[in-house]
Amino acid sequence: QYLSLHPGESIAALSKGKDFQKHIYRKFKVNTINDCNADIVHFGFSGIAVTFLPGMEDIKAKKGVSCRGSAEYIKLLAHDERKRLVKILFDQVDTIHCVSGNMQQTILPYCSKPEKIFINFPSIDINRFRRRREYVAQNPVMILSVGRFVFQKGYLTGLLAIKKLKELNKNFRWHIVAGGTQEEMIFHINELGFNEHIVLMGVKLNDEVLELYNEADIFFLPSISEGIANVVLEAMSMQLPVVSTRCGGMAEVITHGKDGLLADVYDSDKLAENLLQLMDNEQLRKKLGAEARKRVTEQFNIDMQASKFEEVYKALLQ
């Protein structure tokens, strides 16, 4: 419940449970923002921006918000109250950033002024994410995934694809870098007899993940929901061939057969087919990896993203 204090409103009306504390904290946050004398306040996630709604109109600066993934694809489906609040939010902010064209289409039903929306793809530092040594094929083939243990990441679909590779007696290891609860994954791995084929690596530092990109043969994203996965951009920049689902905006990143391989969401058969194609063809892995690096350099470079935000911000202030 969102409360705001109006002239003549009784303090007693706000002094129930934690409502008064929340109200005071919201006022403090808004005052802190205004004390900065910023020209523009940009909320990096719509979920964060929604929490500021009670004081949004009191923020003096121009306001922008980013729409990136779960908050739009999942929360808006599951919670009617979030739908109502997001419509209010989009009315009150001055500009709305979407990470993909797919995201733009997702939020259009909640936006009364579509002209506020602009697309600026996620991006990475291509100088940091570059291969440090020559690509060398391995036996067993190393498949790498990076992402939390949450349903959006599609690990169960991934397991079904991996099951098909195991049935063909392929020699591989699937390394998963992920935080979160591992119990469900451990159970499935044990039941399927995958203990020799899947390595749960837990959480790794950024430099450790960078080294894994250098070591891997294939990057695997079996997700069912993404905005655009930054880990895929990182892997592509490292010249890793990527097997991904077409979730969210991933088809705007990867052109199937040119700089990666795609399958429909939940299509474990096609995911397995794509993985198998790469496992059996080292030259294809190298070719797709080289094209992937080129794609990221041309379209998902952090300098390009910064320039786009600067362009939008300047227009907003004018």
Side-chain angles (χ1 to χ4, degrees), residues 120-125 230 233 299-306:
N120 196 9
F121 291 122
S123 62
I124 60 166
D125 183 349
N230 274 38
L233 299 180
Q299 296 293 328
F300 302 95
N301 187 334
I302 197 167
D303 292 334
M304 298 174 62
Q305 186 193 50

Side-chain angles (χ1 to χ4, degrees), residues 149-160:
F149 282 123
V150 291
F151 82 90
Q152 297 99 308
K153 297 301 178 182
Y155 284 120
L156 292 183
T157 303
L159 280 171
L160 294 176

Side-chain angles (χ1 to χ4, degrees), residues 1 44 56 110 112 125 144 190 203 205 227 242 271 285 289:
Q1 182 179 3
M56 188 69 74
Y110 310 97
S112 62
D125 183 349
L144 176 65
N190 184 71
V203 177
L205 298 175
V242 174
L271 286 171
R285 297 202 298 267

